Amino acid sequence: MTREGIKSALERKSADFSMEDINGFRIIGEENNILRCEYWYTQKKVILDDTGKIHYFKMPSQIKFDINFLDGLITIYAINPGLSLKCKKSVEGALEMEMHPISPLEVD
């Protein structure tokens, strides 16, 4: 896929921040052949207050990732492997490609 093809695929699946449930991408910028991006999703939180009541609320969250056009690597910056896998699957779906992890955290 070309550089412009990648950009347009991510823009077609861009995050709509006016919606209650956010699921999509945002391109932050490009520098030195690296496309800086964010994957936005809605996280559902459950809180138990002091009186024992359960409260549900939705919170927008993001995972940052970079696409390096020179070496073809996509770097995902997440706090745990589950979130990086969530971002990986979304990027694969948006770009219609398969990504092969080079991290030892994911084992086949």
Side-chain angles (χ1 to χ4, degrees), residues 2 6 18 28 30 34 36 51 56-57 60 63 71-72 79 90 94-95 97-98 104:
T2 66
I6 290 172
S18 66
I28 301 170
E30 184 177 357
I34 296 176
R36 305 212 181 277
T51 64
Y56 300 93
F57 68 96
I63 301 169
D71 60 15
I79 59 172
S90 294
L95 299 181
M97 62 187 281
E98 186 176 341

Side-chain angles (χ1 to χ4, degrees), residues 11 18 21 24-25 32-33 52 61 73-74 77-78 94 98 102 104 107:
E11 287 170 354
S18 66
D21 286 326
F25 300 95
N32 300 329
N33 289 308
S61 299
L73 291 178
I74 297 176
Y77 305 99
E98 186 176 341
I102 57 174
V107 180

Side-chain angles (χ1 to χ4, degrees), residues 1 3 9 13 25 28 31 35 37 55 63-64 66 96-97:
M1 186 175 271
R3 177 188 304 234
K13 304 266 183 165
F25 300 95
I28 301 170
E31 57 186 63
L35 187 65
C37 307
H55 302 276
I63 301 169
K64 292 187 179 190
D66 293 339
E96 298 176 355
M97 62 187 281

Side-chain angles (χ1 to χ4, degrees), residues 2-3 12 14 16 29 31 33-34 37 40 43 47-48 53 59-63 70 83 91 93 98:
T2 66
R3 177 188 304 234
R12 278 194 305 273
S14 66
D16 185 357
E31 57 186 63
N33 289 308
I34 296 176
C37 307
W40 283 86
Q43 196 174 44
I47 301 283
L48 180 65
K53 277 183 143 180
M59 182 176 77
S61 299
Q62 65 163 331
I63 301 169
L70 291 180
L83 289 176
V91 171
E98 186 176 341

